[in-house]
Amino acid sequence: MSARRLPEGGRIDRSALLQLTFDGRSIEAYPGDTLASALLAADEAIIARSFKYHRPRGIVAAGVEEPNALVQLRSGARTEPNTRATTLEAYSGLNATGQNAWPSLKFDLQSVNRHLSPFFGAGFYYKTFMGPFKGTGFWMTCEKFIRKAAGMGKGDHSPDPDSYQTSNAFCDLLVIGAGPAGLAAALAAGENGDRILLIEQDHELGGSLLSNPVGGQSDTWLAEMRARLTALDNVKILTRTTVFGAYDSDVYGAVERLWDHVETVPPHQHRQIFWQIRAKRAVMATGAIERHLAFGHNDLPGVMLASGVRSYLNRYAVLAGRSIVVMTNNDSAYGAAIELAQAGASVTLADLRRTPPDGLSKRLDAAGGTVLAGHGVLCALGRKRVSGAQIAPLDERGQSCGAARKVDCDVIAVSGGWSPVLNLWSHRQKKPVFDESAWCFKPSADALPTLTPVGSAVAAGTLQNTIADGAKAGAVKGVMPDLASDNPDADHWVRDISPVWRITGANGKTTGKAFVDMQHDVAVSDIELAHREGYVSVEHLKRYTTTGMATDQGKLSNMPALARMAELLGSSIPEVGTTTFRPPFTPTTVGALAANDAGHHFAPTRRSALHDWHVENGAKIMQAGLWLRPWYYPDSGEDLDAAYRREASHVRDHVGMVDVSTLGKIQVQGPDVAEFLNRIYVNGWKTLQVGRIRYGLMLREDGIVLDDGATARLGEHEYFMTTTTANAAKVLALAEQLLQTEWRDLKVHVTSVTDQWAAMAVAGPNARDVLASAFETVDLSAEALPNNHFVKAIIDGIQCRIHRMSFSGELAYEVYAPAKFGYHLWAQIMAHGATYDIRPYGMESMGTLRIEKGHVAGPELDGRTTLHDIGLEGMASSKKPFVGSVLRNRPRLADKTRPTLVGLEIQGDTGAKSGSILYDMTGSTDNHGLGWVSSTTYSPALGKYIALGFLAEGRERHGQQVRVIDFLGTGTQTATVTSPHFFDPKGVRQNG
Amino acid sequence: MIRLNCPVCGLRDETEFTYLGDATARRPKMDETDPKPWVDFVFFRDNPRGSHKEYWHHVLGCRQWLIVERDTVSHDISSSSLAKDVSA
Ligand SMILES: [Zn+2]
């Protein structure tokens, strides 16, 4: 045994014992433990295998910065890869396995990758793609092997069985981090009456104080702070919650882990909550993270951060080793060393500095430890865990300058100084400044008036300063409880640091592989290789070597990599600069971010007022944008093909009714509507009389066709515009934009009334009889109500409008009724129509009918076509300007050889596919062709497959044959080019 | 996320708005027949670093078009007003 649980101490509850499973082995833990502290107490050295080389890796840290101890948590659909054992609270039934190892952690066959390590160096991927292997198929051969061998945990493909929620929070002050600075800020502001949100990622408030000696004076202070904060109604405290991102306008994203600390989520509970926080201001009390040092085999299990070893000792009562070598370039590790010695470990402290601090050295000496000034660890010794350290005297650059000797030990605890946790600051696009005395990047003062970093996050010198700093940022008034400064070990880290992060032999090279980024297996040698290959920018270096790009975002690796880069470039660290951190601060469950916006809640669902009738009457429903629409109404045994052909024939032979409620409907009101319509449509509107309807086409500002639809003049100053279903929102926004920004001279108001009106089209030879029967008092004769006229009508007291117009080419009417009466009206028309054999028809047959007529729709108005392309250039008025009237004549748009709308009669007994390409009957198809197929159907009226398409010089090609080629499937067909008006081109039927 | 101060609705999330672009680009008069000013208006925009007046549409709110002055570097919003109230 090497690591062990101490008989007393720690912030753990020894009255209960938890049973955990790691890699199939039973592990004991106490409430208050993390998985990592339990594993350490059980002396489990190897927790994972590394990403590329499958080197054994153990626990390094005790917090979010942990790069190595990542486990696969749970199994099945709830499995979670890459979970940091160091932040995972122990719970009864916890089941985790080591990652990236086969067949087992302790004996991993894939560690053969280690011997290929020269092959996996910096830029490996780039070189494989770009270098001598390019195009040789070598990559293809190796990829499977490499992808299997290199990697981390495994996801599961089954749906997440847990639920998540989004919540919104507003506050006067958001305090991020409940260490001493954050607690002081929250209390100072809270006692002033501000609405405070205090957020802590740990399950317990206290931050760094939790790892200071338990039972000391800081405990008393912590208890008092907690009590006073809890007593305030205006302070909301969220623990187990991580503020993962800071955004513009003082918006913060946080995830609260409600039930990750139990085996299964209780019924009817959300596992996590995604908080969107809008704060008036925020205090960033996020603390600092200790840095690693680069030396040979510094990734061996047993090499840990000094702060981690200290945390396990004080918070979890786990002594990480019997014999511990501490290596430091600053004062802060002395506290750890003294406490470890007091706890019974044999401690040797190698201080990289020539002159160690006198007082601290004496205290370590008194505790039984040994200080070696101007010494460092050249390399860790041992195969699967640390068994010793090669220690040598060093010069001021960290280079060996004397004989090395072996010291037996089971833990090497290192401290390379501390880095303020400034990730959230970085999210706000602010560049940190370099602190020359603390040798760290830190947020600059006052760069963000609403985000104040405090305490260790700005390298505050002492615990007292940290608390005062927090209180000042929280409020000016609040009264702080005193904290006697008997914590001499908590506050030395910013002083007297020696900027050495790499320990080398006499030859200037590390003694064995020395890692900077352990999670991505990036070694000092990779940084050096990148430098030799000419990389000078820190951002390029990061991407080329992948340093800092693993799930820990380089929380430990950043500074050693920058320091080496600066050395190689012969410049300073601030000159090299640091990379930009991005959200999330720690890995965040996508399930929480998506919350309820998943599955069919991903977008709103729109149902027409008539939807229930369609469902009750057996319609197959299809999704059209956000809308659910009836696709077809199958009789028994019918498939789509049979049903739509029958429905289309039925309309032409008898009568049918289709739901057109989804059309965009805009109420246009005001004295200047005619002028407004004149400007927005290509055709003229000044002559439209009350009671009449006119079809209109509108262009975009660039001259491309935007939309079409009919507008009825309901009264002197009142018009009712319809748009296509797809463009309803776009047209309304355009109208609002023009009226509010450019045409403020026009007295016109536009309002969407799409949802206020149900609409149904009754079409077919019997249409007049059906409506005459349903609306008894209305004269629907051709004389009284010709095409493009409307009439008001009443049925069962419901005020409706009957518009006479046709999309199908048959005698047809559109009936509009207030949405809440839509269902009743539809049912009444169906009932009255029974005598005339009325049947409902759906989207598919509606498409057939309009294709037979050559009417354009979405597939033709695809954002690329001009008026001339769709054969409607005659509609454009030459007497007035309109939106797009100048730019539609740009040379490329006015080019007469552009593909124009044609009909295509397909030979054979299968239809053409939309998107097929049109070619001459002979010649190469190795080009873009002459045009394309836009809409396609079987035409029951013509008894053949037809299509609409666009064909170069199409109007001149009527009667010719073309090849229709679907490069994705059915191959080549032949079609005869025709007019797009296949059926009843003179429009006799609709005018009857 | 940016939050915008709508003169009608108050401080609201960016997700309620849609963005159009430069509010200083002037649409030629309706009777302008020279394509040049139209090409300029439709296709060419400056991409300033710093202060930028731009149109935002409160599409999930009051449906008013706003002119917002935003710093394209810091995303600081210095003013927002209803487009229809601003003299061109
Ligand atoms: Zn608004």
Side-chain angles (χ1 to χ4, degrees):
Chain A
M1 281 293 281
S2 156
R4 65 192 165 96
R5 180 87 67 180
L6 298 174
E8 55 191 27
R11 296 176 190 276
I12 48 173
D13 174 7
R14 293 179 195 251
S15 67
L17 197 60
L18 308 173
Q19 293 297 334
L20 283 50
T21 309
F22 178 71
D23 258 1
R25 293 186 295 284
S26 189
I27 307 275
E28 287 181 348
Y30 297 113
D33 262 324
T34 61
L35 172 60
S37 66
L39 288 170
L40 199 62
D43 201 30
E44 289 276 349
I46 306 173
I47 311 299
R49 287 276 175 167
S50 76
F51 179 60
K52 277 195 288 191
Y53 307 130
H54 289 255
R55 293 166 71 100
R57 293 284 168 80
I59 296 162
V60 172
V64 295
E65 68 272 35
E66 174 63 41
N68 284 347
L70 306 187
V71 298
Q72 182 92 29
L73 179 62
R74 306 187 205 96
S75 57
R78 285 195 169 87
T79 194
E80 184 179 295
N82 309 331
T83 303
R84 280 154 308 169
T86 52
T87 58
L88 178 66
E89 287 174 56
Y91 56 80
S92 200
L94 188 154
N95 189 352
T97 51
Q99 287 188 169
N100 200 23
W102 184 83
S104 80
L105 280 177
K106 288 186 178 160
F107 180 75
D108 180 357
L109 284 177
Q110 291 168 330
S111 62
V112 290
N113 272 17
R114 295 169 74 164
H115 305 296
L116 295 174
S117 71
F119 186 76
F120 285 128
F124 158 69
Y125 287 91
Y126 298 100
K127 285 167 188 161
T128 309
F129 284 124
M130 305 303 294
F133 298 131
K134 186 184 173 187
T136 60
F138 174 80
W139 170 250
M140 302 300 279
T141 313
C142 294
E143 187 191 3
K144 277 182 212 144
F145 165 71
I146 294 166
R147 287 225 187 271
K148 185 167 184 290
M152 301 180 38
K154 301 256 187 298
D156 186 84
H157 290 281
S158 47
D160 189 335
D162 293 322
S163 77
Y164 302 83
Q165 185 60 275
T166 303
S167 199
N168 294 288
F170 296 80
C171 58
D172 297 317
L173 178 67
L174 168 67
V175 180
I176 305 158
L183 290 172
L187 190 61
E191 292 192 341
N192 273 349
D194 286 352
R195 281 182 312 158
I196 313 293
L197 190 54
L198 172 62
I199 295 191
E200 169 55 50
Q201 62 192 359
D202 204 285
H203 69 275
E204 210 175 343
L205 304 182
S208 61
L209 298 182
L210 296 174
S211 296
N212 270 333
V214 176
Q217 197 135 13
S218 65
D219 268 11
T220 319
W221 185 86
L222 192 53
E224 186 182 343
M225 294 298 281
R226 285 179 186 171
R228 287 172 66 178
L229 278 166
T230 316
L232 291 172
D233 288 340
N234 53 325
V235 176
K236 183 178 173 67
I237 302 172
L238 295 177
T239 54
R240 299 189 172 104
T241 306
T242 302
V243 177
F244 63 77
Y247 305 90
D248 293 320
S249 301
D250 302 300
V251 175
Y252 296 84
V255 167
E256 181 179 11
R257 296 170 294 275
L258 289 173
W259 297 110
D260 278 6
H261 58 291
V262 296
E263 189 175 3
T264 44
V265 180
H268 314 301
Q269 295 283 317
H270 299 297
R271 188 157 88 92
Q272 298 182 349
I273 290 181
F274 168 37
W275 288 93
Q276 286 186 41
I277 302 158
R278 296 152 189 88
K280 283 192 183 144
R281 60 193 185 96
V283 165
M284 189 176 99
T286 43
I289 286 174
E290 197 168 38
R291 297 189 288 244
H292 214 290
L293 293 169
F295 57 96
H297 305 298
N298 62 345
D299 64 327
L300 200 58
V303 179
M304 300 172 72
L305 292 179
S307 60
V309 175
R310 188 184 198 189
S311 202
Y312 289 114
L313 174 66
N314 289 326
R315 186 171 177 184
Y316 305 104
V318 178
L319 187 56
R322 262 192 245 230
S323 176
I324 299 175
V325 168
V326 179
M327 170 162 62
T328 183
N329 66 2
N330 67 94
D331 284 2
S332 70
Y334 278 82
I338 292 162
E339 287 159 14
L340 289 165
Q342 287 167 345
S346 140
V347 175
T348 306
L349 188 145
D351 196 324
L352 296 170
R353 300 167 298 179
R354 291 295 178 81
T355 320
D358 195 40
L360 288 169
S361 301
K362 287 196 174 115
R363 288 183 53 212
L364 178 54
D365 200 45
T370 311
V371 178
L372 300 172
H375 277 67
V377 176
L378 287 179
C379 70
L381 302 169
R383 265 182 56 78
K384 287 181 176 172
R385 60 190 298 174
V386 169
S387 63
Q390 197 77 28
I391 296 184
L394 305 175
D395 64 16
E396 65 283 350
R397 293 166 302 158
Q399 192 164 324
S400 171
C401 60
R405 61 195 161 99
K406 186 189 166 196
V407 174
D408 288 334
C409 63
D410 44 20
V411 165
I412 301 174
V414 300
S415 175
W418 296 70
S419 293
V421 177
L422 45 76
N423 298 57
L424 294 169
W425 179 266
S426 194
H427 297 173
R428 295 291 300 272
Q429 307 290 312
K430 297 298 172 193
K431 289 282 174 208
V433 293
F434 195 74
D435 183 324
E436 297 280 357
S437 68
W439 285 91
C440 65
F441 285 101
K442 66 179 189 183
S444 60
D446 305 327
L448 278 167
T450 52
L451 176 58
T452 312
V454 295
S456 296
V458 284
T462 65
L463 189 55
Q464 284 299 2
N465 287 353
T466 294
I467 292 166
D469 207 15
K472 184 167 162 247
V476 280
K477 285 188 279 178
V479 181
M480 282 306 101
D482 287 333
L483 177 69
S485 55
D486 75 336
N487 267 290
D489 313 322
D491 33 329
H492 294 295
W493 67 269
V494 301
R495 289 207 307 268
D496 299 327
I497 185 168
S498 165
V500 173
W501 286 283
R502 189 174 59 106
I503 295 89
T504 58
N507 62 358
K509 291 186 172 155
T510 57
T511 309
K513 230 171 175 38
F515 287 87
V516 288
D517 185 328
M518 296 198 208
Q519 200 171 113
H520 259 174
D521 267 353
V522 180
V524 171
S525 54
D526 292 308
I527 308 283
E528 290 161 352
L529 177 64
H531 171 72
R532 283 201 302 280
E533 294 182 354
Y535 286 83
V536 292
S537 151
V538 64
E539 293 286 356
H540 292 163
L541 172 93
K542 166 180 161 176
R543 283 155 183 80
Y544 192 61
T545 60
T546 73
T547 305
M549 290 173 68
T551 66
D552 60 350
Q553 278 196 58
K555 289 184 173 67
L556 295 187
S557 65
N558 208 22
M559 186 54 85
L562 290 178
R564 183 61 187 138
M565 187 78 179
E567 273 178 347
L568 292 164
L569 291 168
S571 57
S572 67
I573 291 173
E575 277 167 354
V576 170
T578 183
T579 55
T580 308
F581 293 111
R582 313 275 181 201
F585 170 62
T586 47
T588 299
T589 310
V590 174
L593 302 184
N596 286 333
D597 297 332
H600 73 276
H601 290 302
F602 181 70
T605 300
R606 300 185 76 179
R607 293 182 176 84
S608 107
L610 310 172
H611 183 78
D612 288 350
W613 193 95
H614 308 317
V615 173
E616 288 157 15
N617 289 274
K620 294 281 182 208
I621 301 294
M622 69 182 292
Q623 202 156 357
L626 300 178
W627 289 98
L628 295 182
R629 303 190 66 179
W631 188 6
Y632 60 100
Y633 302 80
D635 283 346
S636 70
E638 275 185 341
D639 61 4
L640 167 67
D641 272 2
Y644 89 78
R645 293 177 191 201
R646 171 186 52 73
E647 288 175 12
S649 299
H650 194 88
V651 170
R652 299 235 184 271
D653 295 341
H654 307 282
V655 63
M657 182 154 69
V658 62
D659 182 359
V660 293
S661 302
T662 61
L663 287 177
K665 307 177 205 78
I666 302 171
Q667 193 90 357
V668 192
Q669 294 159 301
D672 296 323
V673 175
E675 173 62 20
F676 167 70
L677 297 175
N678 236 21
R679 292 184 190 181
I680 206 163
Y681 281 119
V682 304
N683 44 328
W685 291 82
K686 295 276 177 148
T687 58
L688 186 69
Q689 293 164 20
V690 175
R692 299 286 184 90
I693 302 166
R694 185 165 290 173
Y695 172 77
L697 260 166
M698 63 178 78
L699 307 184
R700 307 191 309 214
E701 293 276 17
D702 65 356
I704 298 288
V705 177
L706 170 61
D707 198 48
D708 67 344
T711 296
R713 187 171 187 183
L714 304 183
E716 183 63 22
H717 293 163
E718 180 148 2
Y719 291 68
F720 182 89
M721 175 191 277
T722 63
T723 72
T724 61
T725 301
N727 285 328
K730 211 185 281 180
V731 171
L732 180 68
L734 176 66
E736 287 168 333
Q737 181 219 329
L738 290 168
L739 288 167
Q740 291 175 32
T741 69
E742 301 290 348
W743 299 342
R744 287 182 286 166
D745 54 317
L746 297 185
K747 289 193 171 66
V748 173
H749 196 83
V750 289
T751 313
S752 169
V753 290
T754 301
D755 291 329
Q756 277 68 30
W757 292 93
M760 51 215 84
V762 181
N766 300 342
R768 182 178 288 124
D769 296 335
V770 170
L771 292 183
S773 157
F775 296 88
E776 281 174 17
T777 58
V778 174
D779 183 358
L780 298 174
S781 67
E783 298 72 36
L785 191 67
N787 258 328
N788 294 322
H789 286 59
F790 73 86
V791 64
K792 289 179 180 167
I794 292 181
I795 181 169
D796 296 342
I798 307 166
Q799 306 234 12
C800 307
R801 269 198 329 270
I802 302 174
H803 294 208
R804 180 158 175 204
M805 52 189 320
S806 178
F807 191 52
S808 58
E810 297 302 314
L811 170 66
Y813 303 86
E814 282 175 6
V815 186
Y816 289 85
K820 61 180 170 180
F821 302 123
Y823 181 100
H824 179 77
L825 176 64
W826 174 285
Q828 284 297 84
I829 295 175
M830 291 306 290
H832 284 278
T835 322
Y836 306 96
D837 203 10
I838 194 169
R839 300 293 304 271
Y841 66 105
M843 299 286 297
E844 192 71 24
S845 50
M846 188 170 80
T848 298
L849 295 168
R850 71 102 188 160
I851 294 169
E852 288 177 340
K853 288 296 293 177
H855 289 322
V856 293
E860 286 73 41
L861 308 183
D862 67 352
R864 296 181 297 172
T865 48
T866 66
L867 285 175
H868 183 265
D869 296 345
I870 58 172
L872 294 176
E873 68 276 20
M875 279 193 64
S877 168
S878 58
K879 300 194 185 88
K880 54 131 196 180
F882 49 86
V883 171
S885 60
V886 175
L887 291 189
R888 81 185 184 95
N889 293 319
R890 279 181 287 155
R892 286 300 287 269
L893 299 190
D895 181 356
K896 293 291 182 267
T897 64
R898 286 171 61 87
T900 50
L901 186 69
V902 293
L904 296 165
E905 289 182 3
I906 313 296
Q907 293 180 9
D909 52 7
T910 48
K913 282 263 172 57
S914 292
S916 297
I917 311 292
L918 304 178
Y919 291 94
D920 275 325
M921 288 306 288
T922 56
S924 168
T925 58
D926 191 14
N927 54 59
H928 293 299
L930 302 169
W932 64 94
V933 173
S934 56
S935 299
T936 174
T937 186
Y938 177 79
S939 165
L942 277 67
K944 58 181 86 165
Y945 285 96
I946 59 171
L948 295 176
F950 290 85
L951 180 63
E953 292 160 336
R955 295 176 202 191
E956 286 77 52
R957 289 180 189 260
H958 289 187
Q960 294 180 14
Q961 290 194 323
V962 290
R963 279 178 293 171
V964 179
I965 303 183
D966 171 21
F967 286 100
L968 299 176
T970 54
T972 303
Q973 294 170 291
T974 303
T976 306
V977 180
T978 69
S979 154
H981 310 295
F982 295 98
F983 182 73
D984 185 22
K986 299 241 184 303
V988 175
R989 299 171 70 93
Q990 71 196 51
N991 292 322
Chain B
M1 172 144 67
I2 295 174
R3 302 188 78 212
L4 295 171
N5 199 10
C6 172
V8 180
C9 311
L11 192 60
R12 311 296 304 174
D13 286 356
E14 175 190 341
T15 48
E16 295 181 3
F17 296 82
T18 55
Y19 177 80
L20 181 68
D22 191 351
T24 61
R26 285 268 69 84
R27 195 174 189 277
K29 292 210 168 352
M30 279 306 289
D31 56 6
E32 176 62 66
T33 54
D34 181 0
K36 276 209 180 65
W38 284 105
V39 166
D40 217 38
F41 168 68
V42 172
F43 296 110
F44 295 110
R45 292 289 183 275
D46 292 334
N47 185 16
R49 181 183 166 83
S51 177
H52 191 227
K53 277 187 182 175
E54 53 201 19
Y55 284 125
W56 290 78
H57 190 195
H58 198 187
V59 70
L60 295 181
C62 60
R63 305 235 19 132
Q64 294 300 299
W65 282 88
L66 315 186
I67 295 179
V68 172
E69 198 167 349
R70 180 181 64 101
D71 188 305
T72 59
V73 180
S74 66
H75 286 189
D76 289 339
I77 313 284
S78 49
S79 73
S80 54
S81 40
L82 292 181
K84 66 183 182 189
D85 291 345
V86 177
S87 54

